[in-house]
Amino acid sequence: MLMHFVWAFLIGGLICVIAQIAMDTTPFFVSSSHVLVVVILFGELLSFLGLYQPLADFAGMGASVPLCGFGHTLVQGVETAFREKGLLGILTGGFTAGAAGLAAAVLFGYLVALIFRPKG
């Protein structure tokens, strides 16, 4: 049981370290937002190729929580919805699969903004 936590921490940390290095070493005209979008696309690509699910099975939340895990969730949602609804599923599957995570991010972001009153 303890090793599950260790592997989740190591794999999740490695993913975050790679993303941070990419953000720190990109040229000034590439913003961190660009890098984060590339991380999501990388997760989608690995999921499409069938490589991300074995990583998610091995690392658990260590592979599911970072942004590449969000890309994996979107691809899995589109794939499932496509099987169930056909071409309409391509348009709706990603929204359905990612709805809970996006709603939580918006809600908690709003609550934190109320508590800490950001400037700017």
Side-chain angles (χ1 to χ4, degrees):
M1 178 73 150
L2 177 65
M3 286 308 294
H4 292 289
F5 293 119
V6 170
W7 281 115
F9 176 77
L10 290 175
I11 300 295
L14 180 65
I15 291 169
C16 293
V17 164
I18 291 169
Q20 187 65 48
I21 289 171
M23 284 192 290
D24 290 344
T25 59
T26 54
F28 67 91
F29 56 86
V30 176
S31 70
S32 59
S33 299
H34 293 105
V35 174
L36 295 176
V37 168
V38 169
V39 171
I40 293 172
L41 292 173
F42 186 69
E44 290 174 344
L45 177 67
L46 287 178
S47 181
F48 178 76
L49 296 174
L51 301 174
Y52 203 84
Q53 189 60 48
L55 178 65
D57 291 341
F58 177 73
M61 294 307 287
S64 299
V65 172
L67 278 177
C68 53
F70 177 66
H72 172 65
T73 300
L74 292 177
V75 170
Q76 295 302 310
V78 168
E79 184 180 330
T80 302
F82 178 71
R83 274 191 251 114
E84 294 173 359
K85 300 176 185 174
L87 291 177
L88 184 62
I90 294 173
L91 300 174
T92 62
F95 291 112
T96 304
L102 290 173
V106 169
L107 175 68
F108 293 126
Y110 178 73
L111 291 175
V112 168
L114 285 177
I115 294 169
F116 292 105
R117 300 199 185 268
K119 295 176 177 54

